[in-house]
């Protein structure tokens, strides 16, 4: 009965109530959206690398090395000489080591030089391996393997010729050396999807005529001649290392960090990620704080709306009193109205959130590599929704108590 | 394999100013913050602990008086009693099988080169060779380093490590821990108030 009355009362004031509900809905969508992006980003990052014990690069910061070598974001780290790489590779503790060489691009995608071992050793999302959707690994100097997004965006098929450019977003292209697509990787949801993979020797080959940074004068070195050349790489960007026993990780890390011939840095991917979250955590908290304030603002708006409606509803309340409603019933009704508004607002907010997720999911994935899963709300999110509704009930108590006092004073008569 | 050995050893590295190859480098040293590395594989848990001398004995000069030496001796003996410092959750059934602790005296340069000069306290020996070395005055600090091996009945049941460590060393405020387990690598800060490491 009271529920029906409260609902009817809301319907009767559809416009103001509708605006209030919309404000609550948008604030809830924002609040949950921030939470989704936050957890989505964390999971996407954590899923990108697994099974690698150490990442080795030039001495920089552990976060910088991780971001550049694995996620291809942030500033480039210095290169590591091939000699140091071999010294590490020859260590007894090292089970496997995969070199990575970055710095070239193909259209908007990064080119990564590595060895075929990368396809076996690189693991993501809790130990899953890379799969070939089509074709196979690198067999020839001019073979490339492209990630799923590269193939999809540029419409590549196995066997297509491509041109690899020198430097990122550079206009000079290495058009005298044709590469061929040997394989296309299945979608992984990691930066590998947006990478063109070639052999380390190929990286050297495309720079044969570019010793000074610009294309040297005279005719280009013929492809046949390049094939005869010694394409042993001089430097790499980083290396992924797996050790034989986990107990040796810290020992090897210390050896690499204290390697005196060259300033090197070895980081544990999991530890570096946690370091990143410690930094990002401050900004995350600020975002959560701001979006919580937006929810609070919407609730205060609702409170103001109820307050301003009290005067125009004094007659209505007098009638309720006349038909036998106690002042407590009136208080309860106003709180119930507020709870209804908040609940409808929260539900609508969830709808807006999922609609937004469906629209922005592909974009966030393509632009930032952040996968926002569309799944049922987590327990935590349900708790947040519950908290919003509770807060609405509390906020409505203030005008409801005023209504309670007014109706005590007014009784069945209204003196306006 | 039950090898519990005691080593009190002091290495004095050359001040960076006089490094022969012109290579100068310093490490980080923060009072009140110890570093712990912990790796779990099979039934074995290995730990490396690095604590500033300040945290353990309350001073960072080279121990010279009898009182200083006794303090260092006591601290090392305490660091050797692994089961009084670290408490694994019971289900894992871990027991210490190896413990080693030593004191390093750094004379401003923390980098360990092959050509480092080494000086020896008391009757103890280390692997750096026997060379006389004159001490320069400068930014000097000391560091206790300890290494532990535990054997566990079931490392998959290993979920938490508590640190009664803080009860024995009152100047220690924080341990920065890095760990590697089957579930991957991670890091955590353990402090006096929440002296517990939860492995994910």
């Amino acid at each position: 009965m009271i529920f029906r009355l409260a609902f009817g009362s809301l319907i009767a004031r559809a416009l103001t109530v509708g605006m209030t509900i919309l404000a609550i809905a948008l604030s809830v969508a924002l609040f949950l959206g921030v939470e989704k992006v936050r957890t989505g980003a964390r999971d996407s990052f954590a899923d990108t690398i697994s099974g690698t014990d150490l990442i080795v690069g030039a001495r920089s910061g552990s976060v910088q090395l991780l971001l550049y070598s694995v996620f291809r974001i942030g500033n480039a780290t210095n290169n590591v000489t091939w000699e140091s790489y071999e010294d590490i590779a020859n260590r007894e503790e090292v089970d496997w080591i995969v070199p990575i060489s970055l710095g070239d691009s193909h259209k908007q995608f990064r080119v990564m030089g590595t060895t075929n071992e990368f396809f076996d050793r690189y693991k993501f999302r809790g130990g899953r391996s890379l799969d070939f959707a089509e074709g196979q690994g690198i067999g020839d100097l001019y073979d490339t393997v492209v990630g799923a997004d590269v193939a999809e965006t540029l419409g590549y098929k196995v066997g297509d010729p491509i041109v690899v450019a020198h430097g990122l977003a550079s206009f000079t292209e290495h058009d005298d050396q044709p590469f061929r697509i040997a394989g296309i990787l299945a979608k992984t949801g990691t930066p590998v999807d947006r990478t063109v993979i070639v052999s380390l020797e190929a990286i050297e080959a495309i720079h044969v005529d570019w010793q000074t940074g610009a294309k040297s004068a005279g005719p280009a070195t013929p492809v046949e001649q390049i094939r005869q050349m010694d394409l042993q790489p001089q430097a790499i960007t980083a290396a992924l290392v797996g050790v034989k026993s986990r107990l040796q990780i810290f020992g090897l890390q210390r050896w690499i960090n204290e390697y005196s011939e060259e300033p090197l840095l070895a980081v544990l991917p999991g530890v570096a990620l946690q370091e990143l979250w410690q930094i990002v955590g401050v900004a995350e908290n600020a975002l959560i704080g701001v979006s919580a304030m937006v929810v609070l603002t919407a609730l205060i708006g609702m409170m103001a709306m109820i307050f301003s409606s009290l005067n125009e509803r004094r007659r209505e309340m007098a009638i309720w009193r006349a038909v036998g409603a106690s002042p407590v019933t009136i208080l309860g009704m106003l709180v119930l109205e507020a709870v209804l508004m908040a609940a409808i607002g929260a539900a609508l907010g969830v709808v807006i959130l999922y609609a937004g997720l469906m629209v922005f999911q592909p974009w966030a994935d393509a632009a930032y590599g952040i996968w926002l899963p569309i799944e049922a709300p987590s327990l935590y999110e349900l708790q947040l929704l519950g908290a919003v509704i509770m807060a609405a009930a509390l906020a409505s108590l203030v005008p409801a108590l005023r209504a309670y006092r007014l109706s005590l004073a007014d009784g069945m008569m209204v003196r306006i | 394999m039950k090898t519990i050995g005691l080593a009190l050893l002091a290495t004095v590295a050359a001040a960076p100013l006089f490094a022969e190859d012109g290579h100068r480098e310093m490490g980080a040293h923060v009072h009140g913050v110890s570093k712990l590395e912990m790796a779990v594989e099979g039934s074995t848990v290995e730990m490396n602990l690095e604590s500033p001398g300040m945290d353990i004995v309350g001073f960072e000069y080279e121990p010279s008086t009898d009182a200083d030496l006794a303090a260092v001796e006591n601290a090392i003996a305490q660091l050797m009693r692994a089961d009084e410092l670290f408490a694994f959750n019971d289900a894992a059934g871990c027991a210490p099988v190896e413990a080693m602790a030593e004191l390093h005296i750094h004379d401003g340069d923390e980098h360990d080169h092959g050509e480092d000069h080494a000086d020896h306290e008391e009757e103890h020996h280390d692997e750096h060779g026997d060379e006389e070395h004159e001490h320069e005055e400068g930014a000097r600090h000391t560091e206790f380093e300890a290494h532990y091996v535990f054997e566990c009945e079931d490392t998959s049941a290993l979920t938490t490590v508590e640190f009664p460590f803080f009860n024995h060393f009152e100047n220690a405020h924080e341990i920065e821990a890095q760990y590697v387990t089957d579930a991957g690598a991670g890091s955590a800060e353990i402090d006096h108030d929440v002296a517990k490491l939860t492995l994910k």
Side-chain angles (χ1 to χ4, degrees), chain A residues 27-49:
Chain A
S27 70
V28 165
L30 179 69
F31 194 37
L32 292 182
V34 166
E35 188 59 29
K36 276 271 183 217
V37 171
R38 192 180 75 90
T39 52
R42 285 197 173 210
D43 291 346
S44 296
F45 271 76
D47 280 347
T48 294
I49 187 155

Side-chain angles (χ1 to χ4, degrees), chain A residues 169-326:
Chain A
S170 162
F171 296 102
T172 52
E173 298 205 320
H174 298 220
D175 48 6
D176 42 355
Q177 294 187 48
F179 281 78
R180 188 188 72 92
I181 292 175
I184 295 172
L185 293 170
K187 178 99 181 156
T188 61
T190 71
V192 174
D193 291 346
R194 297 179 297 283
T195 307
V196 175
I197 300 167
V198 299
S199 66
L200 281 180
E201 291 75 22
I203 295 275
E204 291 298 313
I206 53 183
H207 296 115
V208 162
D209 286 324
W210 297 72
Q211 299 301 352
T212 53
K215 195 169 184 176
S216 48
T221 315
V223 168
E224 283 63 39
Q225 198 181 324
I226 290 175
R227 282 186 188 279
Q228 304 303 318
M229 293 169 78
D230 176 21
L231 295 170
Q232 172 70 42
Q234 299 302 305
I236 56 167
T237 307
L240 308 179
V241 178
V243 295
K244 288 183 184 133
S245 160
R246 218 170 281 138
L247 304 178
Q248 298 166 329
I249 291 178
F250 291 112
L252 181 64
Q253 183 190 25
R254 187 166 305 118
W255 183 84
I256 293 169
N257 287 342
E258 290 176 356
Y259 185 76
S260 56
E261 270 91 308
E262 190 175 353
L264 297 178
L265 175 71
V267 299
L268 285 85
V271 171
L273 257 186
Q274 253 166 347
E275 219 171 280
L276 176 66
W277 296 135
Q278 274 176 10
I279 303 165
V280 176
V282 179
E284 281 182 349
N285 287 342
L287 266 182
I288 291 173
V290 168
S291 54
M293 289 309 274
V294 173
V295 174
L296 199 66
T297 312
L299 291 179
I300 290 174
M302 181 192 72
M303 198 160 89
M305 193 276 280
I306 299 175
F307 258 124
S308 67
S309 75
L310 282 188
N311 261 336
E312 56 189 74
R313 294 176 72 189
R314 276 169 93 169
R315 252 176 241 284
E316 180 192 334
M317 288 172 196
I319 293 168
W320 284 348
R321 293 278 278 144
V323 297
S326 68

Side-chain angles (χ1 to χ4, degrees), chain B residues 15-114:
Chain B
L17 197 61
F18 302 100
E20 285 154 41
D21 57 357
H23 183 87
R24 269 166 279 182
E25 188 171 354
M26 307 266 294
H29 178 83
V30 183
H31 288 172
V33 181
S34 303
K35 283 187 211 151
L36 178 78
E37 296 166 345
M38 177 174 163
V40 183
E41 183 160 277
S43 62
T44 310
V45 177
E46 264 191 47
M47 287 206 224
N48 291 314
L49 179 76
E50 232 174 75
S51 286
M54 206 53 139
D55 290 29
I56 302 296
V57 289
F59 59 85
E60 296 218 337
Y61 47 81
E62 203 182 326
S64 49
T65 66
D66 285 351
D68 294 345
L69 286 168
V72 168
E73 202 98 44
N74 272 339
I76 285 180
Q78 180 61 62
L79 282 172
M80 301 283 292
R81 292 194 287 271
D83 48 345
E84 290 180 19
L85 304 178
F86 313 105
F88 298 88
N89 61 312
D90 288 341
C94 297
V97 292
E98 220 180 297
M100 196 189 87
E102 52 190 35
L103 173 68
H104 285 251
I105 300 169
H106 299 273
D107 205 351
D109 182 9
E110 201 171 294
H111 207 73
D112 262 12
H113 292 288

